[in-house]
Amino acid sequence: MSPSDLRSSPLDAAHVAAGASFTDFAGYRMPVRYSSDLAEHHAVRQAAGVFDLSHMAEIGVSGPGSVAFLDHALAGAFAAMTVGRAKYSLLLAEHGGILDDLVVYRVEEDSYLVVANAANRDVAVDALQDRAAGFEVVVTDDSDTTALVAIQGPAAAGTLDALVVEDRLQPETPLDELRYYRVLHATFDDAEVLIARTGYTGEDGFEIYSDPEVAPAIWDALLEAGASRGVVPAGLAARDTLRLEAGMPLYGHELSVDTRPAQAGLGRVVATDGDFVGASGVQPDPDAPVLVGLVMEGRRAARAGYPVLHDGVVVGTVTSGALSPTLGHPVAMAFVAPSALAEGHVLHIDVRGTAIPASVSAFPFYRRASKG
């Protein structure tokens, strides 16, 4: 796709003004960095970063049959999910493989917001609309009329509080009552917005959903209110190393249509007694590779596609890897044969011809001290 064919975020002008470097991400021209990957990564861990996530796919689900529809279309149980709650879920293919991982917000009694990965927008919309047949529900693709700005890091709550004090941000309930995986209605400069507290960095943080024309003012307000707190704009490069440290899978790397949920450690997400699309094939073969964390020695990082070895034999493949800016050593995620994970086995990663020891680690690699 040529640069002229890429979609632009409603915040594109702000990114240009901030000196961003851009990349093609899922057909969008998105900022990959503003200053440096490391500086933006550390800012999120120590203060906060503001991210443009307007490329994400937002799908509306509404109607009296919404709960029954979601129980059928997604691999989770939604009847007990109350208004103001969020739920991580999976969209599965008929054979049980993962079409996408997504977050579902119950914003009203019969109204839900489903947020899918940008690269899977068409897949998710088409699958949900097809599966809506026979249910009293309307499924709409609201991606082009929704902007998304996120602020992640220990200074995120204080930055939003400053906007509340200025009366620019007016939540329907106090922000300190918004717990993790919750969502509430609010206004920003009298425009209706949704504020969620989910995140993809391993830090406390918030996402603000708005009309596209409101997003630039939200972006500017967060950076202005957070300037004295060390808040900076952050790009996709920092977001990737942050999510890797937090042990969060990324579609196209750890997740794919050939991956069953349990292989990626997501068996807990699947309803055990659900009659959802893909339920009959959701269980992987006993010898199917499983996703593990790997901690390496030295400074040489593994990258996606590097082989994982046991006694010189390839037993797996790295899906994501980097030199962790926070921890100071390389970490990786990899699919590895279960037989290679027996107690006492020493694994190596082939990094350009050099076998580097890699210890199996539980996720996440990094965990913040406390939750907001």
Side-chain angles (χ1 to χ4, degrees):
M1 181 178 290
S2 68
S4 61
D5 293 329
L6 295 177
R7 296 184 179 187
S8 294
S9 159
L11 295 166
D12 190 74
H15 302 321
V16 172
S21 298
F22 291 91
T23 189
D24 173 358
F25 190 86
Y28 280 81
R29 184 174 114 115
M30 297 301 295
V32 66
R33 69 182 58 81
Y34 301 85
S35 57
S36 79
D37 304 351
L38 284 176
E40 292 164 24
H41 181 109
H42 289 310
V44 174
R45 291 280 181 249
Q46 298 165 8
V50 181
F51 297 86
D52 178 10
L53 304 180
S54 298
H55 60 300
M56 298 292 283
E58 289 87 13
I59 304 166
V61 174
S62 60
S66 294
V67 172
F69 162 71
L70 290 171
D71 282 347
H72 166 73
L74 304 179
F78 292 87
M81 183 179 170
T82 56
V83 174
R85 294 271 183 160
K87 186 180 183 72
Y88 179 78
S89 192
L90 298 170
L91 176 70
L92 301 183
E94 292 279 355
H95 68 268
I98 301 172
L99 290 174
D100 199 18
D101 65 325
L102 33 77
V103 177
V104 181
Y105 301 97
R106 191 169 192 173
V107 294
E108 301 288 356
E109 187 64 29
D110 292 328
S111 180
Y112 295 76
L113 171 64
V114 179
V115 181
N117 285 292
N120 291 334
R121 172 181 172 177
D122 292 341
V123 170
V125 171
D126 290 347
L128 292 176
Q129 289 182 338
D130 288 346
R131 296 175 189 184
F135 292 91
E136 291 185 89
V137 68
V138 176
V139 177
T140 57
D141 183 358
D142 300 330
S143 307
D144 291 338
T145 57
T146 307
L148 175 55
V149 177
I151 180 168
Q152 295 277 305
T159 301
L160 284 190
D161 285 340
L163 297 183
V164 174
V165 171
E166 296 173 3
D167 287 331
R168 298 195 69 184
L169 184 65
Q170 297 181 329
E172 62 180 358
T173 57
L175 278 179
D176 60 6
E177 296 179 6
L178 182 66
R179 301 305 183 192
Y180 191 53
Y181 261 69
R182 304 289 197 277
V183 63
L184 58 76
H185 291 272
T187 60
F188 177 84
D189 289 348
D190 297 325
E192 293 186 1
V193 300
L194 286 174
I195 303 176
R197 198 170 196 170
T198 48
Y200 192 59
T201 64
E203 297 294 340
D204 184 26
F206 303 83
E207 298 77 40
I208 304 176
Y209 295 85
S210 72
D211 290 336
E213 60 268 22
V214 180
I218 295 173
W219 177 270
D220 290 342
L222 290 172
L223 291 174
E224 291 169 6
S228 62
R229 298 173 169 85
V231 178
V232 301
L236 293 177
R239 186 170 171 81
D240 192 48
T241 51
L242 290 160
R243 71 92 192 169
L244 175 57
E245 288 182 347
M248 295 180 173
L250 176 64
Y251 199 92
H253 288 252
E254 289 71 46
L255 308 179
S256 76
V257 71
D258 297 319
T259 307
R260 301 304 192 274
Q263 289 179 257
L266 298 177
R268 68 189 185 282
V269 177
V270 178
T272 55
D273 57 354
D275 185 22
F276 51 84
V277 176
S280 61
V282 74
Q283 292 300 322
D285 294 333
D287 58 350
V290 294
L291 187 67
V292 298
L294 296 173
V295 174
M296 302 166 63
E297 299 176 359
R299 306 280 294 178
R300 297 183 65 185
R303 303 298 181 190
Y306 284 12
V308 180
L309 312 174
H310 173 241
D311 289 341
V313 177
V314 175
V315 293
T317 305
V318 172
T319 54
S320 298
L323 176 61
S324 166
T326 305
L327 304 175
H329 58 72
V331 296
M333 303 171 82
F335 276 104
V336 176
S339 59
L341 301 176
E343 184 176 354
H345 280 187
V346 177
L347 301 180
H348 291 78
I349 298 178
D350 183 344
V351 179
R352 298 183 179 180
T354 301
I356 297 179
S359 302
V360 176
S361 169
F363 297 125
F365 300 109
Y366 161 85
R367 190 187 300 275
R368 61 191 172 99
S370 62
K371 294 183 181 293

